Amino acid sequence: MKTADPELMRAMNRFSVLDSIRRHGPISRVEITERTELSPTTVSAITGSLLDDGLILTRHEGDIRSESVRGRPRVMLELNPAAARVVGAKIAANRMVFVVTDFCGSVLAALTLPIRIDRQPISVIADIVEDGVRRCVLDAGLALSEIHSICLGLPGVIEHRSGHIRSSPILRDANVDFAAEMSARLKTTTIVESDATAITLAHHWFGQARDLEDMVLVSLEQTLGLGVLHNNRLFRGAGGLSHNLGDLVLGMSKDGVMRLASQAGENAILGSEQADGRFAEAVRLGRGMAHAQALIEADDSPLIGAAIRAGETIGFTIANIVTLFAPPRVIVVGSSLALGEPFLTSLRKAYALAIPPSLQDVSEIVFDDSNDDLWARGAAAVALYELYESPWNTTGPAL
Amino acid sequence: MKTADPELMRAMNRFSVLDSIRRHGPISRVEITERTELSPTTVSAITGSLLDDGLILTRHEGDIRSESVRGRPRVMLELNPAAARVVGAKIAANRMVFVVTDFCGSVLAALTLPIRIDRQPISVIADIVEDGVRRCVLDAGLALSEIHSICLGLPGVIEHRSGHIRSSPILRDANVDFAAEMSARLKTTTIVESDATAITLAHHWFGQARDLEDMVLVSLEQTLGLGVLHNNRLFRGAGGLSHNLGDLVLGMSKDGVMRLASQAGENAILGSEQADGRFAEAVRLGRGMAHAQALIEADDSPLIGAAIRAGETIGFTIANIVTLFAPPRVIVVGSSLALGEPFLTSLRKAYALAIPPSLQDVSEIVFDDSNDDLWARGAAAVALYELYESPWNTTGPAL
DNA sequence: CGATTTAATTTGCGACGCGTATTAATAAGA
DNA sequence: TCTTATTAATACGCGTCGCAAATTAAATCG
C-alpha cells in the first residue's frame, strides 16, 4: 500500500487546489477555501507555490461581484495556459485526429488525417502517427521539445499502465508496446489510452459530465467502448486494463459466440447494406455513417431494421452497465448516433424495458455527438491529468 | 474532495499497519516496516498507540527464525481478539446464518436458522433477524452491549452507504431502510451489505483471495451476485450501490426481456424438474440442490440439460465480467456449484470460448464451495473493516 | 564476560495544516 | 478628504506527522 507521508498529503491538496482552479475558471482563494475545505492558510501557501512554479496566474479584473461589495476585492486565479503543452490524438480505423493543447486543455492546433490505417503493420502506423504529431506541433508554432507529453487514444484493449496495446481492431499485431515505441520515436513521454476512456475524461472536463463525479460513457464507433468515471477518477480494470464493450458476449450457438460488436458495431449495421457497391465504397472510406443517414432519411427499410436491432442491443447492454456501475448519468457518443431516430428510439425503449425496476431512477441517458476534436482533446486531458497529479515541483515549500 | 490533513495521514498509516498485522499473523515490527515501507520510527509509534488502545497484543514466543539467529529477538504483534466483537449474518430465502466473531474475525458462535422467509413482510423478517442476532450473541456468552456492530448480508440491490435495500428477491417490500430499522431494534450500529460483497471480503481475508488486491467473485445461489475487489478495497457502484448479476439482460424478445436470473438462477435450473412432487417440496425447503445433485448422479437427463445450459450462460457472463474488470482471479461460489461436473464443465467451456483472445491469460477461474458460515463471516468482516478504518481513538499521539 | 548482531526506541529535524492575529485593499459614510 | 467598516490574503506560532541518525535493549557467539 502507498505510504502516507507529508509529501503525499501535500500532493493531494495541491492537486485538489489545482483541480478547483481548472474546473471553476478564474476563482479566488476564498472560494477555493470553501470548495476544498482547506484552511485559508493552506490555500494561500499552495497557490503561492503554484504561482512560483508558473502553473497559475493572477487576474485582478474578473471579480464578478465587484459592484457594491465592500471589502478588499478578490484576486482571481486561473491556470497559466503556457505552463505546459501536450498532444492528444484519436486514432481510428479511417482517420487520425491530433490536437495540441495548452495547460488548460484549450486547443492550439488541430490536424485531421483521413487515412485508412486499418490493420496495417505497426511500423506503418507508428510512422503516420509520428508524422501527425510532428506536423500538428509545428502547426501550433511549437517545437516538439516544448511538448510535455503525448497521449494517444485508440480503440481496443489497452493496458494503460504499461503502455501496451493488447489488441486493437485497427492493428494487425497484438500486444505491442506502443507507448515505448512512440516515446522513443518522438523523444517525448507518450502514453496510450483507450479512446473511450479519453472521451470520458473529455466529458468530465469539458462536456456533459462536468458536474458529476460518477459517470459512465458508451462509445459507439467502429469499435464499442466503455469509459467509467468513479469518484472523480477514471476507473480502469485491474492492472489498468481498459474495457472493450465490443467483446461482450450476448449469447452462444453451435457456431460459436455472438459478440456485441457483431450485432451493434458500425460494420455490422452497415454490413447489412453491402450489396450496394457505392455504399460499400463509402463505408471503406469512412463515410459510411453519412451515407447511412441519407439512406435512413429516404426510408431504406433494411437499414432501418438493422438500426433498430442495433439500438435494441445497445439499449439493454447499457442497462447491464448501469446494473453494474449505477452511474447517475450515461453518456452515449460515437458515429452510430448518426443513425438517428429509429436507432435512438429503439435504444431508449430497450433500455427502459431492461433496466431493473429498482434502478429505474438511478441513471439518465444522454446522447452527445461532439466531433472528433473532443476525442483528441480528451486524450490531451489524460496527459494533463497525469501532469496535474504530479506537478513537477511536487516538493516545494515555497522557499 | 477529501482534504488531506495530518489526521488522514495518520489514519492511513494506522490502517496500513493494522492491516499488516491482521493479514500476516503474528508479525514483528521490522517486518511491518518492510511490508508497509514505513520507517521503523513510524511503525514503532503506531504500534505503540495500537497497544495502548488494546487493539493488538505482543507475543514473545513465536519468532520462527529464533534458532541460531544472533541479535535481539523480534517481538511479535498480533490482533487482540478481545478488542471488539461483531455480528455477521447471511440472510437467504430459506435460511439465516449468524456468527459472532472477535476482532480477528474468528467465529465465537454460529447459529443457523433454517427458516423460509421468502417474501415475508419486512416486520416479520426483522423480528426473525433480531431474534437470531440476540440468540447468537447469547450463545457466544456475550451481551448485546458488548457487540460493536452488526453487518447483515442479503441478496439484491443494496445501497450500502445509506443502509437501504432497494430491492431484494427475499423481500416483499422495496426500498426499505433496513439498517435504520435494525439499528433501532438492536440499539447497535447495523449495516447492510450485499451478500456477494460480504463473501468477497471473506475470500479476501480468509479464503482464496488473500494474496490478491484485485479480484471478482460471482455467487450463484437463488440470487446471482457479484462482488468486486479493486485495489484492496471493495468496489461498489456509484453511490455505494451493489451489483446484482441476476438482473443482467441476455436478450430481448417480443414478450419482454430475458434476464440472467431466469436462465441460470437456482430456481430456473431446478424449475425444469418441478413436475416431481417430492422434488418441488425439497426445493421449497431449501434442499433443492442436494436433491438435484443426487438426480444428476443418477443421470437425470432433463436436469443435466438444464445444468449445462445454465453453466454455459454463467460461463460467458463471467467472460463479460472479466472483459469489464480484468481481475486476475474469478472466484465462483454458491449452492449451484453442487450441480457438479456437467455444470462446471459447460461453464468452463463457455468461458474459454467467450473470453476475448487478448484477455485469455488475464484471469483464472476458481470454484469454492465453502459453507454458509463463511458468508456470515464475510459480513462480520465488512463490519470489522469499517472498524479498522477508523479505530476509535483515531486521534492518539501516544500520550 | 565482552564483542557482535539485530530489534526497537529516542532524539532532533523539516514539512505540513490549522487557528489566530495581522496586514492589505477596497467601499461607504461623515 | 478622512475615517470606518468590511472582506481578502498573509504571517506567526502551535501541534502532529514521518523520517534519518543515534541510542538503548536483548539476545548469541567466542
Side-chain angles (χ1 to χ4, degrees):
Chain A
M1 191 177 276
K2 209 179 346 185
T3 145
D5 52 11
E7 199 169 316
L8 173 71
M9 188 164 79
R10 211 343 167 53
M12 288 174 63
N13 288 337
R14 221 178 133 105
F15 177 80
S16 186
V17 168
L18 197 52
D19 203 50
S20 292
I21 297 174
R22 179 188 64 75
R23 293 172 78 141
H24 307 286
I27 184 177
S28 65
R29 291 179 177 80
V30 252
E31 218 179 323
I32 296 175
T33 299
E34 290 159 15
R35 285 190 188 281
T36 60
E37 295 181 329
L38 259 45
S39 76
T41 313
T42 306
V43 170
S44 221
I46 292 177
T47 52
S49 142
L50 292 173
L51 280 166
D52 284 346
D53 294 348
L55 300 189
I56 60 174
L57 299 173
T58 60
R59 219 168 63 177
H60 291 266
E61 322 113 41
D63 191 348
I64 302 150
R65 24 122 280 174
S66 55
E67 290 316 313
S68 74
V69 165
R70 294 274 247 137
R72 172 178 177 176
R74 306 174 167 188
V75 176
M76 307 308 268
L77 303 170
E78 60 189 347
L79 293 187
N80 178 5
R85 284 121 188 154
V86 298
V87 174
K90 171 182 187 176
I91 303 175
N94 48 43
R95 65 200 184 281
M96 292 188 191
V97 181
F98 301 88
V99 298
V100 176
T101 80
D102 58 26
F103 195 59
C104 310
S106 304
V107 175
L108 301 178
L111 171 68
T112 301
L113 301 180
I115 302 177
R116 174 157 208 83
I117 54 146
D118 208 357
R119 302 206 155 261
Q120 299 278 350
I122 190 71
S123 61
V124 174
I125 295 178
D127 272 347
I128 304 176
V129 172
E130 180 181 351
D131 222 50
V133 170
R134 288 185 186 280
R135 276 174 57 188
C136 194
V137 169
L138 219 60
D139 287 354
L142 297 169
L144 200 48
S145 59
E146 295 173 276
I147 300 296
H148 178 275
S149 54
I150 300 166
C151 176
L152 308 172
L154 61 168
V157 179
I158 315 289
E159 201 170 302
H160 169 264
R161 207 169 292 170
S162 72
H164 278 72
I165 303 175
R166 283 182 98 101
S167 82
S168 174
I170 63 172
L171 296 190
R172 177 193 295 173
D173 316 86
N175 221 11
V176 182
D177 189 349
F178 203 48
E181 170 76 22
M182 296 311 299
S183 292
R185 281 168 175 259
L186 294 162
K187 292 178 184 51
T188 308
T189 308
T190 305
I191 54 188
V192 295
E193 183 55 88
S194 146
D195 58 352
T197 302
I199 183 82
T200 301
L201 190 58
H203 271 285
H204 185 44
W205 278 24
F206 315 116
Q208 308 218 24
R210 261 176 300 201
D211 50 333
L212 298 174
E213 42 188 38
D214 294 281
M215 179 265 280
V216 153
L217 178 144
V218 174
S219 81
L220 310 171
E221 300 246 294
Q222 219 149 334
T223 306
L224 303 167
L226 174 69
V228 179
L229 186 78
H230 187 73
N231 239 319
N232 272 322
R233 312 184 68 89
L234 291 172
F235 177 83
R236 304 178 178 102
L241 237 78
S242 68
H243 327 279
N244 191 19
L245 270 195
D247 285 336
L248 289 185
V249 173
L250 299 171
M252 307 188 74
S253 61
K254 277 132 290 178
D255 342 317
V257 295
M258 180 172 73
R259 295 193 190 276
L260 184 60
S262 71
Q263 295 300 300
E266 202 174 300
N267 291 339
I269 303 170
L270 302 183
S272 61
E273 279 288 323
Q274 294 287 7
D276 181 343
R278 271 227 326 266
F279 189 61
E281 174 76 1
V283 169
R284 218 179 57 74
L285 294 175
R287 290 277 176 276
M289 271 300 158
H291 259 71
Q293 205 166 5
L295 284 173
I296 282 179
E297 270 161 27
D299 264 340
D300 178 282
S301 59
L303 189 55
I304 291 180
I308 290 177
R309 279 192 304 278
E312 186 173 273
T313 310
I314 299 289
F316 77 73
T317 299
I318 291 178
N320 287 348
I321 301 286
V322 170
T323 299
L324 294 178
F325 292 100
R329 190 173 297 160
V330 178
I331 302 179
V332 183
V333 305
S335 53
S336 294
L337 294 184
L339 291 170
E341 269 320 304
F343 176 73
L344 299 184
T345 307
S346 105
L347 188 159
R348 277 207 198 83
K349 216 174 100 188
Y351 173 80
L353 275 173
I355 191 77
S358 54
L359 297 177
Q360 207 124 44
D361 55 333
V362 164
S363 207
E364 61 167 336
I365 298 191
V366 166
F367 299 97
D368 182 274
D369 54 354
S370 312
N371 56 11
D372 281 336
D373 278 21
L374 189 63
W375 294 66
R377 220 174 145 204
V382 171
L384 287 175
Y385 188 95
E386 311 221 326
L387 230 175
Y388 288 169
E389 272 201 322
S390 61
W392 33 86
N393 288 0
T394 303
T395 326
L399 49 122
Chain B
M1 189 175 278
K2 210 178 348 185
T3 145
D5 52 12
E7 198 169 319
L8 173 71
M9 190 164 78
R10 191 187 47 245
M12 289 174 63
N13 289 337
R14 219 179 133 103
F15 178 81
S16 187
V17 169
L18 197 52
D19 203 51
S20 292
I21 297 174
R22 180 188 63 75
R23 293 171 77 139
H24 307 287
I27 183 178
S28 65
R29 292 178 176 81
V30 252
E31 217 178 323
I32 297 175
T33 300
E34 290 160 13
R35 285 189 189 281
T36 61
E37 295 182 331
L38 259 46
S39 77
T41 313
T42 306
V43 171
S44 221
I46 292 177
T47 52
S49 141
L50 291 173
L51 279 166
D52 285 345
D53 294 347
L55 300 188
I56 60 173
L57 299 174
T58 60
R59 219 169 63 177
H60 292 266
E61 323 113 41
D63 191 348
I64 302 151
R65 21 124 279 172
S66 55
E67 291 315 314
S68 72
V69 164
R70 294 273 249 135
R72 173 178 176 174
R74 305 172 168 188
V75 175
M76 307 309 268
L77 303 170
E78 60 188 347
L79 292 188
N80 178 4
R85 285 117 187 158
V86 297
V87 174
K90 171 182 188 176
I91 303 176
N94 48 42
R95 66 197 184 282
M96 293 188 190
V97 181
F98 301 89
V99 297
V100 176
T101 81
D102 59 25
F103 196 58
C104 310
S106 304
V107 176
L108 301 180
L111 172 68
T112 301
L113 301 180
I115 302 177
R116 173 157 208 83
I117 54 147
D118 207 358
R119 300 205 158 265
Q120 299 278 349
I122 190 73
S123 60
V124 174
I125 295 178
D127 273 346
I128 304 175
V129 171
E130 181 182 349
D131 222 50
V133 170
R134 288 186 187 279
R135 277 174 56 188
C136 195
V137 170
L138 219 60
D139 288 353
L142 298 168
L144 200 49
S145 59
E146 295 174 276
I147 299 297
H148 178 275
S149 54
I150 301 166
C151 176
L152 308 171
L154 61 170
V157 179
I158 315 288
E159 200 170 304
H160 169 265
R161 208 169 292 171
S162 72
H164 278 72
I165 303 175
R166 282 181 98 102
S167 83
S168 175
I170 63 171
L171 296 191
R172 178 194 294 172
D173 316 88
N175 220 14
V176 182
D177 189 347
F178 203 50
E181 169 76 21
M182 296 312 299
S183 293
R185 280 168 174 260
L186 294 162
K187 291 179 184 53
T188 308
T189 309
T190 305
I191 55 188
V192 295
E193 182 57 87
S194 148
D195 57 352
T197 302
I199 182 81
T200 301
L201 190 59
H203 271 286
H204 184 44
W205 278 23
F206 315 116
Q208 309 219 22
R210 262 176 299 203
D211 51 333
L212 298 173
E213 44 187 35
D214 294 281
M215 179 265 282
V216 154
L217 178 143
V218 174
S219 82
L220 309 172
E221 300 248 295
Q222 217 149 338
T223 307
L224 303 167
L226 174 69
V228 179
L229 185 79
H230 187 73
N231 238 319
N232 271 323
R233 311 184 67 89
L234 291 172
F235 177 83
R236 303 176 179 102
L241 237 78
S242 68
H243 327 280
N244 190 19
L245 269 195
D247 285 336
L248 288 184
V249 173
L250 298 171
M252 307 188 73
S253 61
K254 279 132 289 176
D255 344 316
V257 294
M258 180 171 73
R259 295 193 190 277
L260 184 59
S262 71
Q263 296 300 299
E266 201 176 299
N267 292 338
I269 302 170
L270 302 184
S272 62
E273 280 287 323
Q274 295 288 5
D276 182 343
R278 270 226 328 263
F279 190 62
E281 174 74 3
V283 168
R284 217 179 57 74
L285 294 175
R287 291 276 177 280
M289 270 301 159
H291 259 71
Q293 207 168 0
L295 284 173
I296 282 180
E297 269 161 28
D299 265 340
D300 178 281
S301 59
L303 188 56
I304 291 180
I308 289 177
R309 280 192 304 278
E312 187 173 274
T313 310
I314 299 289
F316 77 73
T317 299
I318 291 178
N320 287 348
I321 300 287
V322 170
T323 300
L324 294 177
F325 292 100
R329 189 174 300 160
V330 178
I331 301 178
V332 183
V333 304
S335 54
S336 294
L337 293 185
L339 291 170
E341 268 320 306
F343 177 72
L344 299 184
T345 306
S346 107
L347 189 159
R348 276 209 199 81
K349 214 174 102 189
Y351 174 81
L353 274 172
I355 190 74
S358 53
L359 298 178
Q360 207 124 45
D361 55 335
V362 165
S363 208
E364 61 167 337
I365 298 191
V366 167
F367 299 97
D368 182 273
D369 55 355
S370 312
N371 56 9
D372 280 335
D373 278 21
L374 189 64
W375 293 66
R377 218 173 149 207
V382 172
L384 287 174
Y385 188 95
E386 309 219 330
L387 231 175
Y388 289 169
E389 273 201 320
S390 61
W392 34 85
N393 288 1
T394 304
T395 327
L399 48 126

